[in-house]
Amino acid sequence: MATHVDPITLAVVRGALETTQREMTLTLEKTGRSSVFNLAHDYSNALFDHFPEMILQGQDIPIHLGSLIPAMKAVAEFFDGDIQEGDVIYHNDPAYMGSHILDCCMYKPVFYQGELVFWTVCKGHLTDIGGPVPAGYNPDAKEIYAEGLRIPPVKLWEQGKPRNDVINLLLTNMRARRDQEGDINAQYGACRVGERNLIALLDKYGVDTVKACIAELKDMADRQMRSLIRDVPDGVYHGSAMLEDAGHGFGEMEITSTITVTGDQLHIAVQSPPQIPYFINSYEGNSLSGVYLGLMMFAQLPPPYNEGLYRCVTVDLGEKGTLCNAVEPAPHVNCTTTPMETLTDAVRQALEQAAPERVTASWGHASGINIAGMDPRSGEQYVTMVLASIISGAGATQVMDGWHAVGPLCCFGALSSGDVELLEYSYPIIIHRYGLLQDSGGAGKYRGGSGTAWEVEPRDHEMQVIAFGEGRQIATLGAAGAENRLPEPKLGKLVVDRADGQQVHKHNTMLTIKPGERVTNINPGGGGYGPAFERDPKAVQEDVRNGLVSLEAAELEYGVALNPDCLSVNWAETERLRG
């Protein structure tokens, strides 16, 4: 017989679960060793029940969270019949539904009076995973074996005892071992904190009551999603987005989605080209994250956010061996940004055909760098993914401009760039510039958020730079008639200033720079919403005064003329331009 749950108990249990997840996140921030953890917050936490189904996801990295649902099931199935109290399982392999091998995930079963009740789960981006290229992004990889260490489900702790031989095996294959060891220990601490809080919750309310509350929270999410889908007219809708030529001879590629709405059921079918010998193939778990992000950008539902959201949603990623449903030995490390963000755009566009009133513009796609070298201060090797270098602009909506410097799309505002001073303290570098870029936000009635420039120089050593990403040939997608008449400033790029004065533009490449040389990574802004000539001229004037829009763009993209002092609008000339 089902246990009845009163609304007050439900609210308290829900609050305890949410607090548990937030405390896990805080544990990672305060105990993580690398800047990717303690500054950029490139990690995600979730709670699962015994089925295992996700009962709570944090406000973390979208590219992590969607893949956790199938990954948790794959890990539990692998160890089915051999899951003991005190076990801790580790995993990163996309063949077992992981996202990419740099995103390493820890799973801790939570037992109560001998019964498996929960799992605490923590996924984090390690700064290195071995392989031929520091930080894992190898644009020359032709297969997954050339990218780094694959970790199928393996126990790092067994019945409460650490398996030091296995832990040492993993760490021995990673650069900057101290950082990786510190981050793995931080993940363990986060899972233990989650376990402690969940056991306290069970002590207070009992297993039956807590399980009943969780069942109701999943049903609540299910009802909200079904209610939304019922409001969408039945039919078949199509969306597509182009994946730009990465400069390695594969050309542009199109990803399409077909959405079928029937009553309160939604089916999402994805079509993509055959997989290629280049690091942008996406395995199933990662692609599910891209699909779910496109769906949630459209749905914009209130919490709770759990697996109940997807009961009425089915997904077909297309044939095996394709770009969005890759199989071994396809290289893949860049997949969490490319093609995931393009897949998200394709899904979102199809959904917005079904309900144009919910349309929003896309966020900037990720375009960043990793750095590595020998720190002359300590004589130790360092390596890190510079998350500050991928911060782009948010897309505009029907009611407001996009936010500046909060992207990219794959992270959806969950990343932090960290303090410049702390990055310079952690690594032997000088950051000469970190700021917003003029004219980078997509033009529209509501302007897209501005992208950023991040400029770095090594101190007293040669530094390796690995560049990856897209948004360097195709500007961020706008919505509802938005159009860019000045597209060049809205593209990302990598600019290398050599000591001899030569300036080189590159992308998806590896290079070495010396003291006195600089690399600037430029990120795209977000897409605009609506026709730009409908933007309030006074809003354009304010953007010009704030340095977000140039005088040229004010006239060309917005049809707004300003008087020489830029303190007032030339209304007669503006009327002529807009006419």
Side-chain angles (χ1 to χ4, degrees):
M1 182 175 179
T3 302
H4 172 72
V5 179
D6 64 87
I8 294 177
T9 300
L10 178 64
V12 172
V13 170
R14 175 178 173 179
L17 295 173
E18 292 170 349
T19 299
T20 295
Q21 187 279 327
R22 287 196 296 270
E23 192 169 347
M24 291 173 67
T25 296
L26 187 63
T27 300
L28 283 172
E29 178 186 352
K30 299 302 182 184
T31 63
R33 178 64 64 88
S34 74
S35 64
V36 172
F37 271 36
N38 58 37
L39 293 182
H41 304 167
D42 192 356
Y43 46 67
S44 299
N45 296 289
L47 304 176
F48 285 77
D49 58 19
H50 63 288
F51 286 110
E53 292 183 351
M54 182 185 282
I55 59 176
L56 181 74
Q57 68 178 47
Q59 297 180 27
D60 294 323
I61 310 293
I63 191 61
H64 292 167
L65 296 168
S67 64
L68 280 180
I69 293 174
M72 177 74 259
K73 291 173 174 55
V75 167
E77 182 180 358
F78 185 87
F79 281 105
D80 187 30
D82 186 27
I83 299 170
Q84 311 294 330
E85 189 167 357
D87 286 353
V88 175
I89 301 167
Y90 212 53
H91 154 259
N92 74 356
D93 194 349
Y96 288 90
M97 296 295 177
S99 46
H100 69 170
I101 56 174
L102 287 158
D103 288 337
C104 295
C105 195
M106 189 172 285
Y107 309 80
K108 191 172 196 323
V110 178
F111 285 80
Y112 187 75
Q113 297 177 357
E115 176 188 359
L116 175 61
V117 183
F118 293 112
W119 292 81
T120 58
V121 179
C122 171
K123 176 179 280 192
H125 182 116
L126 294 192
T127 57
D128 189 79
I129 199 65
V133 174
Y137 285 74
N138 182 6
D140 294 333
K142 302 297 189 293
E143 56 183 11
I144 192 171
Y145 309 109
E147 295 185 296
L149 181 65
R150 295 170 62 184
I151 308 172
V154 61
K155 291 185 181 181
L156 296 191
W157 275 260
E158 192 164 18
Q159 298 186 50
K161 295 182 179 180
R163 298 188 60 187
N164 292 319
D165 54 345
V166 177
I167 296 172
N168 184 56
L169 172 67
L170 301 185
L171 293 173
T172 299
N173 281 278
M174 300 174 187
R175 297 172 182 84
R177 176 182 177 127
R178 187 181 67 166
D179 281 358
Q180 319 317 323
E181 185 173 18
D183 287 352
I184 290 174
N185 286 335
Q187 289 182 281
Y188 179 67
C191 287
R192 286 293 304 272
V193 165
E195 177 185 45
R196 179 196 65 195
N197 288 7
L198 292 173
I199 289 174
L201 180 65
L202 295 170
D203 281 340
K204 184 169 185 178
Y205 289 99
V207 173
D208 291 342
T209 296
V210 172
K211 284 184 176 179
C213 289
I214 290 169
E216 175 56 27
L217 291 172
K218 288 191 285 187
D219 288 346
M220 187 184 303
D222 176 47
R223 290 193 297 269
Q224 291 182 165
M225 183 63 82
R226 289 182 188 275
S227 176
L228 169 70
I229 295 172
R230 277 194 295 267
D231 289 340
V232 177
D234 285 2
V236 180
Y237 306 93
H238 303 278
S240 68
M242 295 302 297
L243 191 64
E244 65 189 34
D245 184 355
H248 286 242
F250 299 105
E252 292 185 346
M253 291 176 280
E254 185 177 26
I255 297 175
T256 64
S257 67
T258 301
I259 309 295
T260 303
V261 180
T262 308
D264 62 358
Q265 300 285 324
L266 186 70
H267 179 68
I268 303 174
V270 175
Q271 301 83 40
S272 60
Q275 65 188 43
I276 59 176
Y278 185 58
F279 68 170
I280 61 171
N281 301 287
S282 180
Y283 288 71
E284 183 178 348
N286 185 72
S287 293
L288 282 173
S289 285
V291 170
Y292 289 158
L293 176 56
L295 172 61
M296 293 305 290
M297 286 181 70
F298 166 81
Q300 302 170 40
L301 292 172
Y305 301 130
N306 55 51
E307 200 162 331
L309 288 167
Y310 310 114
R311 287 178 183 168
C312 57
V313 179
T314 55
V315 179
D316 176 7
L317 294 173
E319 295 183 19
K320 290 285 187 180
T322 51
L323 198 70
C324 293
N325 198 1
V327 295
E328 298 172 274
H332 76 300
V333 163
N334 201 23
C335 69
T336 54
T337 59
T338 308
M340 179 270 192
E341 293 166 322
T342 306
L343 171 58
T344 294
D345 281 339
V347 170
R348 182 179 49 80
Q349 288 196 324
L351 288 164
E352 289 167 354
Q353 280 192 7
E357 70 278 3
R358 305 184 74 87
V359 67
T360 60
S362 184
W363 291 37
H365 288 200
S367 167
I369 62 173
N370 300 324
I371 59 173
M374 193 65 68
D375 192 334
R377 301 170 301 181
S378 63
E380 295 181 355
Q381 187 177 29
Y382 72 91
V383 56
T384 190
M385 182 180 188
V386 184
L387 276 308
S389 75
I390 70 171
I391 300 295
S392 57
T397 73
Q398 300 176 36
V399 296
M400 63 179 288
D401 295 339
W403 296 310
H404 306 308
V406 294
L409 178 59
C410 63
C411 300
F412 215 61
L415 277 183
S416 171
S417 57
D419 293 334
V420 166
E421 293 82 4
L422 288 176
L423 284 170
E424 291 179 329
Y425 174 80
S426 300
Y427 307 107
I429 59 175
I430 300 172
I431 301 171
H432 289 283
R433 177 166 55 133
Y434 183 45
L436 303 180
L437 287 167
Q438 190 175 64
D439 293 334
S440 58
K445 178 179 179 180
Y446 294 103
R447 176 193 29 73
S450 296
T452 62
W454 195 85
E455 182 178 348
V456 65
E457 175 188 346
R459 293 176 54 198
D460 303 323
H461 76 296
E462 292 187 355
M463 183 172 72
Q464 191 169 5
V465 176
I466 304 98
F468 62 92
E470 61 168 352
R472 293 170 175 169
Q473 298 170 34
I474 301 174
T476 307
L477 295 176
E483 180 184 359
N484 295 320
R485 299 188 180 188
L486 198 63
E488 181 63 26
K490 296 166 180 59
L491 299 176
K493 62 175 67 75
L494 187 77
V495 181
V496 184
D497 289 295
R498 293 296 188 184
D500 59 5
Q502 183 183 12
Q503 188 175 85
V504 182
H505 291 210
K506 292 193 174 275
H507 59 104
N508 290 296
T509 188
M510 295 180 287
L511 53 100
T512 299
I513 63 170
K514 304 174 182 179
E517 299 180 332
R518 302 182 184 184
V519 167
T520 305
N521 195 71
I522 292 172
N523 274 284
Y529 178 91
F533 276 25
E534 294 181 8
R535 185 165 178 79
D536 183 348
K538 290 187 177 181
V540 176
Q541 176 198 356
E542 191 66 17
D543 284 344
V544 171
R545 293 177 61 189
N546 288 330
L548 300 174
V549 173
S550 67
L551 285 169
E552 178 189 10
E555 293 195 8
L556 183 62
E557 296 199 298
Y558 294 97
V560 174
L562 300 179
N563 292 316
D565 59 5
C566 290
L567 299 177
S568 58
V569 176
N570 184 330
W571 292 101
E573 181 64 10
T574 295
E575 185 176 350
R576 186 192 69 80
L577 290 171
R578 290 190 166 186

